[in-house]
Amino acid sequence: MYNERVINEFKNPKNIGEIPDADGVGTIGNASCGDIMQIFLKIEDNRIVDAKFKTFGCAAAIASSSVATEMIKGMTIEEALQVKNADVVERLEGLPPQKIHCSVLAEEAIHAAIDNYREKTK
């Protein structure tokens, strides 16, 4: 069902955990599948200097969280907002059609974390 890249990201995920003094936190859940994804961001000078995640879900959700947090590290906020679920799927070298929603959760969690940051810094 999963390709080797997805399995590797699931077995060896990067950026697991919380950032205690996170500048932005985004939590997204999908009731239809039970996946819940939380992304934590540390932002300095409009740039994401660290990103971590906590995800309760399937292998695709964990793999999507891992690659999404890796992708956005070093990006400006504006660049991170341009990351789409298709970019996550491409980085994972594909997901089964019934698991594409996991990549959507990653995109939405990034947006939610940035929205949270912007609310805090108004």
Side-chain angles (χ1 to χ4, degrees):
M1 179 168 162
Y2 294 118
N3 67 42
E4 189 174 320
R5 176 70 193 265
V6 174
I7 291 168
N8 186 49
E9 286 293 338
F10 170 68
K11 287 182 176 179
N12 305 293
K14 297 164 200 72
N15 309 312
I16 289 180
E18 295 182 34
I19 299 173
D21 57 345
D23 296 308
V25 180
T27 304
I28 298 293
N30 185 325
S32 68
C33 68
D35 294 324
I36 299 174
M37 188 177 294
Q38 191 170 40
I39 290 187
F40 302 82
L41 301 177
K42 189 70 177 164
I43 300 170
E44 294 175 8
D45 299 322
N46 199 47
R47 190 167 295 279
I48 298 168
V49 294
D50 197 11
K52 295 199 179 299
F53 76 91
K54 287 174 66 177
T55 296
F56 176 81
C58 64
I62 292 167
S64 293
S65 302
S66 178
V67 299
T69 53
E70 276 295 290
M71 290 170 71
I72 63 172
K73 279 191 200 177
M75 288 184 171
T76 65
I77 291 170
E78 292 74 23
E79 290 168 338
L81 287 170
Q82 298 304 310
V83 173
K84 302 298 179 206
N85 77 294
D87 302 319
V88 174
V89 172
E90 182 178 333
R91 183 70 63 100
L92 286 169
E93 300 171 8
L95 282 174
Q98 67 272 26
K99 295 296 181 178
I100 295 294
H101 67 273
C102 295
S103 64
V104 174
L105 288 177
E107 177 185 339
E108 291 175 351
I110 292 167
H111 284 251
I114 291 171
D115 289 347
N116 177 252
Y117 166 72
R118 287 180 167 167
E119 283 296 315
K120 289 179 177 181
T121 57
K122 277 186 175 179

